[in-house]
């Protein structure tokens, strides 16, 4: 399910593409899709193979300002011809200068350099000018990392009209919705094994409209990545022990659950040790091994943002970065009470804001309606505009700016705009944070 046809360089065309770029701690990956097509391809780091992982490292050649990236960087470092810089995304998030041969480098600039160099692999398939939309995906998106990725995106000088960010969970959601419905008619589970085993669990609540999808994450610290013994007999025993450990974890995790599909991701599953555990996972379930799910999922998600399909409208993912409630107001339209939608649940909190004007009927309060998509109670949030001038009914125009400052809080700024030539603005403005 996760395999592509092998990358074969061919003649470029002028079709627009969407790109999904996975920026991992130890490797990056690039998938792309022509806007007229539906199935993304993943770019190989080695032409003609399915080696998709690009090590997330740079290497500065000793004594000169020459930089290498990926596998070439590792090669030069091993040959002691350069200084290796690892953990590029972690360095960029910390924000501290990186010292290389006594010279300080901005970590965000180093990360930008890596991404720019890695895109040369994509440039062998399509021109970078063809990129219409670009989606970064990472394991976790902190507010600081969102800011860093914004700087990286600006430094790439792409002509893309849309550049967005999302975490692995959202990429998993997008990937799943683009598979045959038989594969996700019940729950879907990812077991990801790199340094330590973790699981992501796709669950859908069919009793809501739209249907709400939640993804739960769990780590299993008892299953750390193994360093295999050199002796064949000891290595075989190690593999059998790891197989039994994973089997016991999988049996406990799936006990009493109805799961349609299991994905095994990560380099830890490359060696053929998961024999008994794989037999168990394949009982009445489909199981797939691969490692390009997140970059493909980012590509699918970007395509949906450009042109949402039916399923994208019927389902909504409420992940940790998602607004969990609809935010709106009750308003009078053409003499009838109605609901005015401001911010929609299911959107990344760091991507949304709204500006609009309202006419205040009377009084000095503005009320927002908070409607949880998780089935909670509808609540109101009231902002009192202290010192607002008293005017005749419906002669006060207010400008409202609302933006999410965290996943569960919004900052609202309301400015008195007066009312045309009848009443000038008082110049007053009110700012308040509300919980949503």
């Amino acid at each position: 399910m996760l395999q592509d046809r092998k990358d074969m360089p061919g003649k470029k065309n002028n079709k627009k593409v969407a790109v999904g770029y996975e920026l991992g701690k130890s490797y990056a990956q690039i998938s792309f899709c022509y806007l007229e097509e539906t199935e993304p391809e993943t770019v190989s780091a080695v032409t003609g193979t399915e080696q998709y992982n690009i090590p997330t490292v740079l290497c500065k050649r000793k004594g000169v300002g020459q930089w290498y990236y990926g596998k070439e960087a590792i090669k030069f470092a091993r040959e002691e011809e350069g200084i290796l810089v690892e953990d590029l995304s972690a360095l960029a998030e910390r924000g501290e200068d990186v010292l290389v041969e006594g010279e300080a480098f901005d970590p965000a600039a180093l990360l930008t350099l890596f991404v720019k160099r890695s895109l040369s692999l994509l440039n062998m398939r399509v021109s970078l000018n063809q990129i219409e939309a670009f989606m970064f995906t990472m394991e976790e998106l902190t507010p600081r990392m969102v800011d860093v990725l914004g700087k990286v995106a600006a430094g790439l000088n792409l002509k893309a009209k849309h550049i967005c960010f999302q975490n692995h969970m959202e990429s998993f959601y997008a990937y799943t919705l683009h598979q045959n419905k038989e594969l996700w008619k019940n729950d879907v589970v990812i077991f990801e094994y790199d340094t330590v085993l973790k699981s992501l669990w796709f669950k859908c609540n069919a009793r809501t409209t739209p249907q709400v999808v939640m993804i739960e994450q769990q780590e299993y610290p008892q299953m750390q990545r193994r360093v295999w013994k050199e002796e064949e007999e000891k290595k075989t025993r190690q593999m059998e022990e790891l197989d039994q450990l994973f089997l016991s974890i999988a049996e406990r995790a799936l006990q009493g659950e109805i799961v349609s599909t299991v994905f095994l991701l990560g380099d830890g599953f490359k060696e053929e040790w998961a024999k008994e555990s794989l037999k168990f996972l394949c009982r009445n379930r489909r199981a797939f091994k691969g490692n390009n799910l997140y970059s493909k999922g980012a590509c699918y998600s970007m395509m949906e943002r450009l042109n949402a399909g039916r399923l994208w409208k019927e389902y909504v993912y409420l992940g940790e970065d998602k607004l969990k409630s609809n935010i709106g107001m009750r308003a009078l339209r053409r003499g009838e009470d109605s609901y005015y939608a401001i911010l929609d649940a299911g959107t990344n909190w760091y991507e949304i804001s709204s500006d609009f004007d309202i006419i205040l009927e009377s009084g000095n309060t503005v009320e927002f309606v908070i409607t949880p998509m998780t089935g909670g109670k509808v609540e109101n949030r009231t902002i009192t505009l202290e010192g607002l001038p008293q005017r005749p009914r419906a002669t006060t125009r207010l400008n409202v700016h609302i933006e999410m400052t965290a996943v569960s809080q919004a900052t609202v700024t309301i400015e008195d705009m007066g009312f045309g030539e009848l009443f000038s603005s008082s110049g007053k403005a009110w700012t308040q944070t509300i919980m949503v």
Side-chain angles (χ1 to χ4, degrees):
M1 180 57 62
L2 303 185
Q3 304 303 318
D4 293 311
R5 59 181 180 271
K6 297 187 186 303
D7 276 321
M8 297 298 292
K11 186 177 179 180
K12 297 179 183 177
N13 55 49
N14 294 319
K15 296 179 180 178
K16 294 294 184 180
V17 300
V19 174
Y21 190 106
E22 182 189 0
L23 185 56
K25 294 176 181 177
S26 56
Y27 66 84
Q29 211 177 83
I30 307 168
S31 290
F32 72 97
C33 186
Y34 293 106
L35 301 190
E36 297 84 358
E37 299 180 7
T38 57
E39 178 65 22
E41 297 180 46
T42 306
V43 176
S44 175
V46 179
T47 302
T49 73
E50 292 175 351
Q51 297 180 35
Y52 303 133
N53 291 350
I54 309 162
T56 316
V57 296
L58 288 171
C59 179
K60 181 182 179 297
R61 193 162 189 168
K62 291 180 179 178
V64 295
Q66 191 172 6
W67 290 86
Y68 302 93
Y69 81 97
K71 292 183 178 180
E72 193 175 25
I74 294 173
K75 172 179 174 292
F76 270 86
R78 284 176 178 167
E79 294 172 354
E80 298 185 352
E81 295 185 23
I83 295 89
L84 194 67
V85 182
E86 302 176 279
D87 301 321
L88 293 175
S89 57
L91 290 172
E93 184 166 14
R94 287 201 296 270
E96 301 170 0
D97 283 349
V98 179
L99 288 177
V100 181
E101 290 190 310
E103 185 176 356
F105 293 92
D106 177 5
L110 292 179
L111 184 60
T112 303
L113 177 63
F114 169 80
V115 174
K116 188 177 291 187
R117 292 287 176 86
S118 65
L119 286 175
S120 63
L121 294 171
L122 177 63
N123 201 34
M124 295 171 64
R125 303 294 307 282
V126 298
S127 168
L128 299 186
N129 290 332
Q130 293 174 244
I131 300 175
E132 179 80 2
F134 196 104
M135 175 70 80
F136 283 100
T137 184
M138 296 186 69
E139 181 177 3
E140 182 182 7
L141 274 178
T142 63
R144 166 65 186 166
M145 203 62 214
V146 171
D147 182 57
V148 167
L149 289 178
K151 294 178 181 177
V152 171
L156 295 177
N157 295 319
L158 295 174
K159 295 181 179 179
K161 294 180 180 178
H162 312 275
I163 299 181
C164 304
F165 323 119
Q166 68 184 31
N167 63 20
H168 279 178
M169 290 184 182
E170 190 167 0
S171 294
F172 175 29
Y173 166 74
Y175 182 88
T176 302
L177 253 64
H178 278 261
Q179 305 311 300
N180 188 301
K181 189 64 171 69
E182 282 296 306
L183 296 178
W184 54 282
K185 63 181 179 181
N186 299 305
D187 293 355
V188 181
V189 180
I190 285 177
F191 284 109
E192 186 174 352
Y193 189 34
D194 284 310
T195 56
V196 68
L197 181 72
K198 73 173 185 179
S199 64
L200 297 178
W201 203 295
F202 176 107
K203 292 177 175 286
C204 180
N205 182 357
R207 294 187 298 274
T208 61
T209 303
Q211 295 184 47
V212 171
V213 173
M214 305 290 287
I215 296 178
E216 301 170 0
Q217 177 173 319
Q218 185 171 347
E219 281 198 359
Y220 305 90
Q222 68 270 38
M223 191 164 156
Q224 301 282 338
R225 184 75 178 272
R226 298 298 194 267
V227 177
W228 303 116
K229 299 290 186 182
E230 291 186 7
E231 298 88 347
E232 192 64 33
E233 184 178 340
K234 291 182 178 179
K235 180 179 179 181
T236 300
R237 187 162 60 248
Q238 267 189 306
M239 286 185 166
E240 291 173 350
E241 291 172 355
L242 185 61
D243 190 17
Q244 287 302 312
L245 176 58
F246 181 43
L247 175 61
S248 66
I249 290 172
E251 286 177 335
R252 285 197 300 272
L254 274 62
Q255 185 176 13
E257 303 287 349
I258 303 176
V259 175
S260 296
T261 303
V262 176
F263 292 107
L264 302 180
L265 307 182
D267 287 346
F269 285 116
K270 277 188 174 180
E271 298 92 354
E272 299 299 320
W273 56 265
K275 295 180 180 178
E276 295 303 316
S277 48
L278 196 56
K279 288 179 185 177
F280 166 74
L281 291 174
C282 288
R283 290 177 197 158
N284 302 316
R285 290 176 287 264
R286 301 288 298 277
F288 301 95
K289 288 174 68 175
N291 68 351
N292 59 339
L293 184 150
Y294 296 129
S295 64
K296 276 193 165 186
C299 204
Y300 281 129
S301 187
M302 197 71 255
M303 297 283 284
E304 291 288 355
R305 290 186 183 219
L306 296 177
N307 185 22
R310 177 181 59 83
L311 287 177
W312 208 253
K313 297 171 183 176
E314 293 179 0
Y315 293 81
V316 60
Y317 167 58
L318 296 184
E320 58 184 13
D321 292 329
K322 298 292 187 178
L323 177 60
K324 306 298 191 301
S325 302
N326 290 324
I327 303 175
M329 303 178 79
R330 293 188 180 90
L332 196 64
R333 288 181 173 176
R334 298 183 181 90
E336 295 183 1
D337 288 330
S338 63
Y339 175 83
Y340 175 68
I342 300 173
L343 300 180
D344 293 331
T347 310
N348 290 324
W349 67 266
Y350 47 80
E351 292 183 327
I352 51 173
S353 63
S354 182
D355 277 284
F356 56 95
D357 287 353
I358 60 173
I359 302 295
L360 193 63
E361 280 287 302
S362 61
N364 68 337
T365 60
V366 176
E367 196 168 72
F368 296 88
V369 181
I370 313 299
T371 308
M373 289 298 295
T374 51
K377 180 183 175 184
V378 177
E379 297 183 349
N380 296 327
R381 299 284 185 268
T382 301
I383 296 178
T384 302
L385 310 180
E386 299 287 353
L388 179 69
Q390 292 186 2
R391 298 176 182 132
R393 187 178 186 86
T395 57
T396 293
R397 183 165 62 94
L398 301 173
N399 176 258
V400 181
H401 173 76
I402 179 170
E403 64 179 70
M404 300 299 298
T405 48
V407 71
S408 59
Q409 71 178 32
T411 296
V412 182
T413 299
I414 301 174
E415 184 180 355
D416 175 23
M417 306 299 289
F419 199 76
E421 296 180 357
L422 292 179
F423 300 101
S424 60
S425 167
S426 66
K428 291 182 178 293
W430 300 262
T431 298
Q432 186 171 319
T433 297
I434 60 173
M435 303 307 294
V436 300

